[in-house]
Amino acid sequence: MRLLWTALLVLPVSLAAAAERLMIDGAVCTDPPYLHCPDENCPADRVINQGPVVDMETRRTYFLDYPCDLEVGEPVTFVLNLHGGGSYGNWQRHYFPLLDYVDDFRLVVATPNSPIRVWTEADDGYLMDIVRSVTKQVGAANIRAFWLAGHSQGGMTSNRLLRQPFFAERVDGWISLSGGRLGGNPGRAERFGPPPSPGSQTAEARARMADMRASFQRAAELLVTRPTEDISFIYTTGEREMDANGVPDTTLLADWYDCDERTDAEVVTDTKAGYVYDGSRQDPPNPAWGLLPGPGTADVYVYPGCRDGRVVADVVRMGKGHTEGLEPHVTETLVSLMVSAPGGRIQALARRDAALSGPVTIDGVACRNPEYHCPAANCAADVIAQRGNATDLATGRNFFLDYPCDLSPGENVVFVLNLHGGGSIGNWERHYFPIMDFTDKYRLIVATPSGVVRAWMPENDDEHLKNIVSYVYDRFDDVNISAFWLAGHSQGGQTANRLINDGFFADRLTGWVSLSGGRLGSERSEIRAPIPRGTPPPGVTLPPGPLRLVAYAENLPDGAFSHVYVTGEQEIPVEKGLKLPETSRWAEQLGCGPRQRLADVVDTGAGYVYDSRPQENRSPIWGLDPRPGTAEVYVFPDCDGGEVVADVVRLDKGHTEGLEPNVTEAIIRLMLTAQTRQTQKGS
């Protein structure tokens, strides 16, 4: 897979080193942004400018603001920002000045123009072109959320667009800037409306106003109609635009999305004015329409606890009307609310389209291999015995490679090297810790190899493991491997502990998941009960005397990385009360806080595999049949570098029962919350 970027222009020599910087639609970033207004008295010829970026389908222009240091593959929030009736793109760009926050919040903001200064259905193709163009160049996988924002008639247009299939399947949220309150509109002030302007009484102007009033009525009816898809919604208005009743303290959205009651107001104070106002309609002045820009305060109301984390909020700018540009702090508050909401619609659409186009293969390796996947129970021995669907050409050894079937160029993925325990094999490990079932949902690439002698030996296997890592980095070079984890069960966990001291692995490492393979900072006797003699099946001979380990977890390594330890409760020594230590030397070294217990993870389904070989002395310490269960999860929070340190105890389980689906997913989520390091490309 290779991502081919179309060259839009030749970069100056001075920018050649910034090969990974992204330039969208030829829009050159400058500081300050192109045609940025001064703090006051913005020149009229600047406000009416329609932007430098050309939509090649319609030949209409628009503004595009984004971080000048935006990198290929970096996640962004995309906003389509629509002006009100009678306005212009650059006026809107300064009325709701998102351009000042693109760096801090990693925004890509497109601000278009209507040729007649009023949005109609005739503009929809142009707006869709802009969305397609930005999505293609940023990469669908990198657009974490897509929002519509619109002032006045631009807000009403946003509400209309939400009901159209193209936007309904892409939009995650809508910011209405005095453009209608979804779920119940406030009443208008008695004197709301623009003062008369020259030419407003002509027959043509009256006809245009009649059409606009009809569209306003249609838009108002939509405000009490649930959108096609659930979205987050933020309503912003000036206090003087409304009647004396103000913003209602309820909304239909709270019923639609199961939100809690509205919070008390949080006050945002601005000592600085906004950039723009309606300078053509101040004679006579009308406070409901809007006066000159000035400092002010805003009351922020939030409806918490909405289903799926949706954000629903009202923001009332005190003492303001319809047209005074938003002040900096209230703008920043709106952006903060916006980026706190869930997203992913454009990403999901891209994954769906990719799945419909057929199976993905990398270097001839299919993304899914159902013939190698066990059923829910009683997995056949010939399936477990399979060695893999990918080949390390340097050694000729096979390994398993699982990855999302809908990978998109530039998207962030997490790479996991998953090592089996002693006496085991790759496909057993693949089902013992079945993260392969979550590659699509959590964007994982998982490599699961097999040791030559069913155990990991440096002289036999280290070259092979390094080859696999290099293979993945080389074959997946058009996606961003944002994190690299080692995972290993039993002797595979000990092997992972040995590998973290090898620079090849250490330079890439984000974290280590130890599946009963050693807890960093703890001696084995603290956390592992002796395995009863006779538990391993006939033919496997345990050496006399103390067990010799591949690596000793009590020896803390250099560097900083995340560590998740997973164990069965039955593996913990009885004299320890079947409890892990409440402290962690590794957590202390990373500056983490005291241990906290999270909610238990309950599984009603069993894992796939267990040690089904004949055993003369079957023991719950070693492991019994797979079965449902509960796991306790403990974390050591607030580590200095954002690392995750956690313990997961699977109640009433031993060493070999395969992990259940919910506890597997809980471990993946812990992995994904870790602060990642920029991984280095394999050689």
Side-chain angles (χ1 to χ4, degrees):
M1 296 169 65
R2 295 286 194 281
L3 179 59
L4 303 178
W5 294 96
T6 302
L8 297 173
L9 70 167
V10 177
L11 293 176
V13 174
S14 61
L15 293 182
E20 293 300 308
R21 296 285 168 83
L22 180 61
M23 182 173 289
I24 310 171
D25 269 335
V28 179
C29 285
T30 59
D31 187 14
Y34 180 67
L35 292 182
H36 196 301
C37 287
D39 287 349
E40 56 185 2
N41 301 321
C42 192
D45 60 346
R46 184 173 302 187
V47 167
I48 67 173
N49 192 284
Q50 305 219 346
V53 183
V54 179
D55 167 32
M56 300 308 293
E57 294 295 324
T58 63
R59 301 295 173 175
R60 290 166 59 178
T61 60
Y62 60 97
F63 285 92
L64 190 65
D65 296 289
Y66 61 94
C68 291
D69 60 351
L70 183 65
E71 296 182 354
V72 173
E74 182 179 348
V76 298
T77 297
F78 174 30
V79 185
L80 184 64
N81 190 17
L82 305 182
H83 65 68
S87 189
Y88 302 89
N90 208 23
W91 192 93
Q92 173 67 15
R93 191 166 165 248
H94 290 84
Y95 174 82
F96 185 35
L98 295 172
L99 76 171
D100 291 338
Y101 298 94
V102 294
D103 289 341
D104 290 345
F105 291 94
R106 315 314 283 173
L107 309 178
V108 173
V109 185
T111 311
N113 301 270
S114 166
I116 60 172
R117 300 169 66 190
V118 174
W119 299 105
T120 70
E121 286 84 352
D123 299 303
D124 291 0
Y126 161 63
L127 299 177
M128 288 189 285
D129 288 342
I130 294 172
V131 174
R132 291 190 189 101
S133 177
V134 172
T135 300
K136 180 178 180 180
Q137 293 178 79
V138 173
N142 304 314
I143 297 177
R144 61 159 301 277
F146 172 43
W147 281 69
L148 295 176
H151 176 229
S152 193
Q153 196 258 348
M156 300 174 197
T157 299
S158 300
N159 191 14
R160 177 178 61 79
L161 294 176
L162 288 172
R163 322 291 170 148
Q164 297 185 2
F166 178 89
F167 287 95
E169 62 186 3
R170 288 169 171 81
V171 173
D172 298 293
W174 167 30
I175 292 183
S176 173
L177 306 156
S178 303
R181 182 177 183 264
L182 193 59
N185 217 27
R188 283 295 193 190
E190 183 177 351
R191 293 188 59 219
F192 179 80
S197 62
S200 63
Q201 299 306 309
T202 65
E204 181 182 356
R206 287 196 297 270
R208 190 164 58 244
M209 183 57 69
D211 289 343
M212 189 176 293
R213 288 196 184 99
S215 70
F216 289 173
Q217 180 59 38
R218 291 193 296 272
E221 293 168 357
L222 287 178
L223 291 173
V224 292
T225 305
R226 189 168 182 166
T228 307
E229 302 288 344
D230 288 352
I231 60 167
S232 293
F233 176 69
I234 304 168
Y235 176 63
T236 307
T237 186
E239 179 190 28
R240 289 173 170 169
E241 299 181 66
M242 302 180 292
D243 63 21
N245 294 320
V247 171
D249 59 6
T250 60
T251 171
L252 290 174
L253 284 171
D255 296 331
W256 295 340
Y257 302 160
D258 300 323
C259 308
D260 297 334
E261 292 184 1
R262 191 179 80 171
T263 61
D264 294 334
E266 177 183 339
V267 178
V268 175
T269 301
D270 271 285
T271 58
K272 186 177 177 181
Y275 291 108
V276 294
Y277 66 108
D278 188 348
S280 66
R281 293 174 175 174
Q282 293 295 322
D283 186 18
N286 179 354
W289 183 249
L291 306 177
L292 300 179
T297 62
D299 290 348
V300 180
Y301 303 92
V302 175
Y303 292 83
C306 301
R307 187 176 60 254
D308 299 326
R310 304 270 174 222
V311 168
V312 177
D314 295 318
V315 179
V316 181
R317 301 168 63 212
M318 308 307 293
K320 296 290 164 56
H322 191 66
T323 56
E324 297 100 332
L326 273 69
E327 302 78 27
H329 288 167
V330 73
T331 300
E332 186 172 11
T333 298
L334 292 172
V335 177
S336 297
L337 286 169
M338 180 175 67
V339 299
S340 71
R345 284 239 162 85
I346 285 180
Q347 294 170 334
L349 181 64
R351 290 196 293 268
R352 185 199 71 186
D353 290 346
L356 291 175
S357 66
V360 175
T361 61
I362 301 294
D363 203 32
V365 179
C367 60
R368 285 200 177 89
N369 298 272
E371 67 273 23
Y372 299 143
H373 197 297
C374 289
N378 302 317
C379 192
D382 60 341
V383 174
I384 290 292
Q386 297 299 318
R387 290 287 178 145
N389 57 339
T391 304
D392 166 18
L393 295 178
T395 64
R397 291 166 61 177
N398 288 351
F399 62 96
F400 283 97
L401 185 66
D402 297 288
Y403 60 93
C405 288
D406 54 357
L407 272 180
S408 297
E411 76 167 291
N412 290 321
V413 295
V414 173
F415 172 31
V416 185
L417 182 62
N418 189 17
L419 305 180
H420 64 71
S424 188
I425 194 171
N427 209 22
W428 192 91
E429 172 68 14
R430 190 164 163 259
H431 290 83
Y432 175 81
F433 184 37
I435 52 177
M436 64 190 171
D437 290 341
F438 298 93
T439 54
D440 285 352
K441 183 173 182 179
Y442 292 106
R443 319 314 288 164
L444 308 176
I445 298 172
V446 185
T448 313
S450 297
V452 171
V453 295
R454 295 199 167 203
W456 300 104
M457 309 291 289
E459 61 274 19
N460 292 340
D461 303 303
D462 283 12
E463 179 188 358
H464 175 52
L465 297 178
K466 290 178 181 179
N467 291 342
I468 291 171
V469 172
S470 296
Y471 176 104
V472 169
Y473 277 88
D474 287 343
R475 278 18 175 232
F476 293 87
D477 66 342
D478 68 333
V479 297
N480 178 35
I481 297 179
S482 60
F484 170 55
W485 282 75
L486 290 170
H489 176 228
S490 193
Q491 194 256 356
Q494 297 168 32
T495 299
N497 189 11
R498 176 175 63 78
L499 296 178
I500 61 181
N501 294 294
D502 182 316
F504 179 91
F505 296 95
D507 289 345
R508 299 164 169 79
L509 189 67
T510 301
W512 166 33
V513 174
S514 173
L515 304 158
S516 304
R519 180 180 187 260
L520 273 179
S522 294
E523 294 187 7
R524 182 181 175 88
S525 60
E526 287 186 277
I527 59 171
R528 284 288 301 276
I531 299 171
R533 290 285 162 171
T535 297
V540 177
T541 303
L542 291 173
L547 185 65
R548 183 177 178 183
L549 304 180
V550 172
Y552 291 84
E554 62 266 31
N555 299 325
L556 298 183
D558 296 328
F561 55 85
S562 295
H563 176 54
V564 179
Y565 178 63
V566 185
T567 187
E569 180 188 35
Q570 296 289 351
E571 299 183 75
I572 303 171
V574 174
E575 61 269 22
K576 302 294 183 182
L578 299 181
K579 298 291 183 184
L580 287 178
E582 295 183 1
T583 59
S584 163
R585 290 174 55 222
W586 184 243
E588 292 169 0
Q589 181 164 304
L590 297 183
C592 312
R595 190 181 78 166
Q596 296 179 2
R597 183 171 177 177
L598 304 183
D600 290 353
V601 178
V602 178
D603 271 284
T604 57
Y608 291 107
V609 295
Y610 67 110
D611 188 349
S612 58
R613 298 172 295 182
Q615 299 171 42
E616 66 180 62
N617 185 23
R618 205 169 192 218
S619 164
I621 297 174
W622 183 249
L624 306 176
D625 290 354
R627 57 201 182 279
T630 299
E632 297 176 349
V633 181
Y634 302 90
V635 296
F636 296 85
D638 304 323
C639 303
D640 288 344
E643 297 87 2
V644 167
V645 179
D647 293 322
V648 179
V649 181
R650 302 169 62 212
L651 301 183
D652 195 36
K653 296 290 165 56
H655 190 66
T656 56
E657 298 100 332
L659 273 69
E660 303 79 26
N662 290 346
V663 74
T664 301
E665 188 169 10
I667 294 166
I668 296 171
R669 288 177 175 173
L670 286 170
M671 296 164 64
L672 297 184
T673 61
Q675 180 67 42
T676 58
R677 301 160 54 179
Q678 183 60 46
T679 61
Q680 299 181 10
K681 183 177 172 64
S683 60

